[in-house]
Amino acid sequence: MITIKEITSKGDLTTFVKFPFEVYKNSPYYVPPIIKEELDVLNPKKNPVFQNSEAKFFLAYKNNKVVGRVAAIINWIEVKEQKKSKIRFGWYDVIDDIDVTKALLDKVAMYGAENGLEYMEGPAGFSIMDKAGILIKGFEELNTMITWYNYPYYQKHMEQLGFEKAATWVEYRIQVPKKIKEKVIKFSNIIKERYELNLIKFNNSKEILGYADEMFDLLNKTYSGLQTFVPIQQYQIDMYKKKYLPYINPQYITCIADKTGKLIAFSIVMPSFSKALKKMNGKMYPLGFLHILKAQRKNNTAAFYLIGIDPEYQNKGVTALIFKEMNEVFLRNGIEVVETNPELEENKAIQALWNDYDHEQHKMRRTYRKSIEN
């Protein structure tokens, strides 16, 4: 018999966060999150996203053992302002038992029905800054710091329960050229002169902080037309600055401004933390942080985390400037391979950026949706 329990205590929430460690304990590809950070994300007192969202967290038990988990999330900006009658589900992990998945998602549907919502969709977090999608390709690849890992049966469970495809993301592995191509150098110089653009370089985190709000403003402009978009609120931006800034090496950020000093494009790349997080196994202390420090200093792999371009400058070759600068950084730091963040399948403009490089699409993930019977 399967029993579903709604989380009501700090201890239950810890069990919720630690459950995937058990599911994937034998997987060489699962990269665990930092437990404390996960607890903070799911804590209404510590995550400002709860100012515009609400959530319930459920654990599934079978024979007195935890066999699954799921979060049911309502983003009220999405529901009220964007008129999407949707409840999200995320932090979804289960053993290979279709009845467990059904029991958990029935709870999500029930919560959605109680709030008059018409359909559920996921897995996804609270906003575009959170993880999203079930992995459907790339099961023998380490997940990155900003993605979930899962086994192949997750997709089968969704399809067996009548869920339909909602959105698909693709990810690429790019080989860093040993030498910057002459045509890239020439073209980037032409674009820089034609639009009177200036590169902004940083020496420390404090300097980055002065441009952080403009970066998030560009993110909102860049992705506003995509189906999964929900505007990032200022209180969320403040949290992200505090949460991620310590991890960022200033030289891995490229910012471009117009002749008035207005930011028109940026990219954030970080050394890959996947192997470091794997070794940490969810714990920053007492010694886990040393793996992060080592990954920051010595690494041959990097991850493209964010890129934003003002719509006025999209399709004008500005990305050539970004890639030229990043290529120089990679060569200086011994980076040989770059992984992209998940890109929506229909976002052809972003995917076209990799055409001039040796690349492969090595991962794919998908969200699913299903109507709620009220």
Side-chain angles (χ1 to χ4, degrees):
M1 180 179 176
I2 299 166
T3 303
I4 305 300
K5 177 181 178 181
E6 181 181 346
I7 287 175
T8 57
S9 69
K10 185 177 179 180
D12 285 343
L13 189 61
T14 300
T15 300
F16 182 93
V17 167
K18 289 184 175 181
F19 173 65
F21 288 73
E22 177 65 23
V23 177
Y24 305 109
K25 65 181 179 182
N26 296 319
S27 170
Y29 308 109
Y30 170 68
V31 175
I34 296 171
I35 293 170
K36 183 182 182 305
E37 289 190 359
E38 283 286 273
L39 289 169
D40 288 349
V41 168
L42 303 178
N43 187 341
K45 294 180 180 179
K46 295 189 176 183
N47 188 348
V49 76
F50 282 93
Q51 292 183 40
N52 61 262
S53 302
E54 61 182 77
K56 288 187 177 183
F57 308 105
F58 300 99
L59 287 168
Y61 288 82
K62 189 174 184 179
N63 299 323
N64 295 316
K65 182 180 179 181
V66 179
V67 291
R69 69 169 190 172
V70 75
I73 302 164
I74 302 174
N75 185 312
W76 287 112
I77 291 178
E78 183 173 51
V79 174
K80 294 181 178 179
E81 296 182 14
Q82 297 184 310
K83 307 302 180 183
K84 295 180 180 179
S85 189
K86 174 172 76 177
I87 183 168
R88 298 168 171 235
F89 64 91
W91 284 269
Y92 159 66
D93 286 287
V94 291
I95 63 170
D96 190 5
D97 186 330
I98 188 71
D99 292 330
V100 175
T101 291
K102 184 178 185 305
L104 284 167
L105 295 181
D106 281 350
K107 283 292 185 179
V108 177
M110 188 180 303
Y111 185 33
E114 290 170 359
N115 286 276
L117 302 176
E118 297 174 355
Y119 67 98
M120 54 180 169
E121 185 175 318
F126 295 93
S127 72
I128 61 168
M129 295 298 291
D130 292 316
K131 301 174 184 179
I134 285 174
L135 190 68
I136 60 173
K137 175 186 176 181
F139 301 106
E140 296 182 354
E141 302 280 353
L142 287 172
N143 60 290
T144 65
M145 187 172 70
I146 59 170
T147 59
W148 283 312
Y149 181 82
N150 59 263
Y151 291 129
Y153 62 79
Y154 282 50
Q155 179 183 6
K156 295 177 181 178
H157 284 199
M158 290 291 113
E159 294 171 353
Q160 287 176 31
L161 292 173
F163 280 77
E164 299 177 346
K165 169 185 170 182
T168 302
W169 284 265
V170 292
E171 299 170 51
Y172 292 86
R173 181 190 290 119
I174 304 165
Q175 301 298 320
V176 176
K178 301 296 183 182
K179 182 180 179 182
I180 304 175
K181 297 179 181 180
E182 288 297 325
K183 70 174 185 177
V184 172
I185 296 173
K186 183 177 180 180
F187 185 59
S188 63
N189 288 335
I190 290 172
I191 296 301
K192 185 178 179 182
E193 293 176 8
R194 177 181 297 169
Y195 299 109
E196 300 181 80
L197 303 176
N198 298 299
L199 288 165
I200 302 171
K201 297 187 177 182
F202 303 104
N203 296 309
N204 53 58
S205 297
K206 187 176 180 180
E207 291 178 357
I208 300 170
L209 195 60
Y211 285 87
D213 286 353
E214 287 188 77
M215 291 182 194
F216 279 99
D217 183 53
L218 273 182
L219 273 184
N220 279 336
K221 290 180 180 178
T222 301
Y223 299 107
S224 61
L226 299 181
Q227 60 174 298
T228 57
F229 175 77
V230 177
I232 306 167
Q233 306 301 302
Q234 185 59 48
Y235 43 80
Q236 293 173 265
I237 293 172
D238 293 339
M239 180 195 70
Y240 293 132
K241 288 190 291 188
K242 182 178 179 181
K243 181 177 179 180
Y244 292 114
L245 202 58
Y247 292 106
I248 297 175
N249 184 329
Q251 65 175 316
Y252 281 84
I253 294 184
T254 299
C255 284
I256 301 173
D258 64 15
K259 61 182 178 181
T260 69
K262 176 188 174 185
L263 194 68
I264 62 98
F266 79 95
S267 71
I268 297 178
V269 178
M270 288 193 279
S272 174
F273 293 118
S274 294
K275 292 181 180 178
L277 289 168
K278 185 84 174 164
K279 293 176 182 176
M280 292 163 64
N281 199 33
K283 298 176 181 179
M284 184 68 83
Y285 300 100
L287 300 175
F289 73 97
L290 294 176
H291 296 298
I292 292 290
L293 292 176
K294 183 178 179 180
Q296 287 177 320
R297 292 195 307 266
K298 188 177 181 181
N299 208 321
N300 70 344
T301 305
F304 247 119
Y305 280 103
L306 292 174
I307 184 167
I309 302 174
D310 191 305
E312 183 181 342
Y313 286 88
Q314 290 177 12
N315 302 316
K316 290 185 177 180
V318 173
T319 50
L321 267 173
I322 292 175
F323 293 143
K324 173 181 173 293
E325 291 302 308
M326 292 315 307
N327 210 149
E328 291 178 355
V329 171
F330 295 152
L331 292 175
R332 286 199 303 270
N333 290 277
I335 299 296
E336 301 172 354
V337 178
V338 181
E339 281 195 271
T340 70
N341 63 337
E343 306 155 2
L344 279 169
E345 188 177 41
E346 66 266 28
N347 194 354
K348 301 301 183 182
I350 290 292
Q351 293 159 44
L353 302 178
W354 323 127
N355 289 342
D356 289 333
Y357 298 88
D358 182 6
H359 69 284
E360 63 171 321
Q361 186 212 312
H362 65 313
K363 297 177 192 174
M364 182 180 291
R365 59 190 69 247
R366 179 170 293 160
T367 52
Y368 291 85
R369 63 178 288 173
K370 187 177 184 180
S371 297
I372 295 173
E373 297 179 6
N374 291 297

